Amino acid sequence: MKSNVAVTDYGAPERASSKGKAQWPRVPKLAISLISCIALLSLWEGVTRFGLVEPLFLPAPSQILNRAMLMNDQGILLGHVVASTWRVTVGFLLASLVAIPLGIFLGFSPLSRAVFDPVLSFLRPLPSMSWIPLSLLWFGIGESQKYSIVFMGAFAPSLLYVMEATKGVDPLLIKAAQNLGAKSKDVMIEVILPASLPQILSGLKVMLGIAWTCVISAELVAAREGLGFMIMNGKEYFQTDTVVLGMVLISITVMATDLLFRFVEKRILPWKA
Amino acid sequence: MYKTRRQLLASAVALTLAVGSPGLALGAELEKAKVSYGGSAWLSHYPVWVGMKKGYFTNRGLTVDWKNFSTGSARMASLAVGEIEFGGAGSISAIALMASGTKAFYVLAAPDSYATVEGIITSSDIKTVKDLKGKKIGVPFATSSHVLALDVLEQAGLDPNKDVTLINLPASDTPSALRAKQVDAVATWTPAFNTLKAQANTHVLLDAKEFSLYKQYNLGPGPDVLIANRSFVDKNPKTTTAFLDGYFEAARFIAENPKDAAALLTDLTQLSPEEQLAVLKDIEWIGRGEQQKIMTAGGSFTKGLQSLAELLVRYKQIDKAPKVDDWVKTGLMQ
């Protein structure tokens, strides 16, 4: 018997008409996304160009593009992107380097978890912005202050992700390794780390996005470049196009780093790919 | 006959009071009896606060609702969308909003001048602006102090992008940054300016009188302006005039009675009466009579504001200088 369910090239089932009605043509997903983007941008351009919305409140895409070209000609656009990306990278890597081993250890050891839990519960809800006054006193106004803000914003949630991933490892695997004579250190490195790695990486991917929100806070004070600085300075001068350009660049940069992260994930976890 | 004459006299007095008392006469004629004002603890907002406390607005049949804003840009955005009708702003914010192309507001007046409470303060080994070469200067970006720093560096032949490192710091953080030697100098305004000025190991390198436009137009780097929502002013000229009358009556009261005004202002600023009085002494209030003269197209303030807009373009802070005259509204103060 012939099925009346067709499958499009992007995987969504599509019910075919049994009464000879015209079928929707199969359109690639990329084309649909492209069309929706063009439609949205055209609508956006239209409402601003025809004066339905004042550019102060929503600048036209063409105005944002012009701003990007102007800042590029001035040689400052790439500097903002690089400065923020570097701050995110350093802060995030430092947070990961501390959170991964500590999280595995805490996930493995209930006693240590009991010791650290109150500190973690205290740190976890603190927004990165709340660290600005202390970070200025501790680290001054240089780059280390910015890294510290990203670090503090990313560390506690990353630690929790790693702990939860570690706690989720099948106890049978741990028991089996211990029965075969593995020491605690071996169990952690040889069993828990590989078993929890997919979840840890998924958590870190989420944390990378959060690290980008932290860098905006980090660049509020004592910064002279960076996308957060660019957005805040644009706000002060009512240059909404600069503000939106900063937002767009953050999104593009996060997408690019996400792709890079996926590439690394595939290399580290080929079975997951 | 005598009785009748007395009655006539009483009627005449009553009539005079009714016409002469703004509260009774104007109150009935105002298009709107309530307006909102966007303010903060900054000195340019003092007349509205004092006017509210002294009843200078209610005497004119006008209730003013005070809305507090922590940043000038938020205040101006709120005014542009009509959430508040009146507000005070630094002229740099006002010029930036003009440059964005919006016509949503008017500049009604330039109420004060305070060139001696803003400037650059350095550690004691820096004696001239040229000594700042290679140094770090803490500056609240996008403010009058930022423009002052750019201007005096240029006057001294220093390139702000190459010869010094400008670091964006909120004005309130400038004293601690200089004390902790995180920067070699700060450009800031009162109360941070006065705090640092009073300290040992620091000295005032220059104040806003060194600003190029001050020398030319007696205009500081970021003079305050009284602004209003354009559509509100166009539709409610009598209410606007009543507001301005109350505003300048309060400004005159502050200028003539600084001690009494200081006592009224401590609620707003949280300064001690002595500190408040010291701040008041540094302000020069530009009276209502002078406003018409300085705010017209050829007036010194308007010309100075236009030059400031052109300066901001030269320092790459805005793209294009607006024709500021298009935003200045005169003729509301008789």
Side-chain angles (χ1 to χ4, degrees), chain A residues 201-222:
Chain A
L201 287 182
S202 299
L204 291 183
K205 211 154 50 181
V206 176
M207 288 319 304
L208 186 60
I210 292 176
W212 271 96
T213 63
C214 299
V215 85
I216 305 299
S217 313
E219 290 169 355
L220 284 179
V221 179

Side-chain angles (χ1 to χ4, degrees), chain A residues 54 57 67 140 222-224 237, chain B residues 81 102 142 165 168 182 317 319:
Chain A
E54 229 184 292
F57 301 107
R67 172 66 63 186
R224 47 182 300 172
Y237 282 110
Chain B
V81 296
T102 184
T165 307
N168 186 20
Q182 291 168 342
Q317 304 300 307
D319 301 327

Side-chain angles (χ1 to χ4, degrees), chain A residues 124-145:
Chain A
R124 199 164 53 97
L126 295 177
S128 56
M129 203 179 267
S130 67
W131 288 99
I132 291 177
L134 281 181
S135 68
L136 283 168
L137 292 170
W138 293 346
F139 301 103
I141 53 175
E143 284 301 297
S144 21
Q145 183 258 342

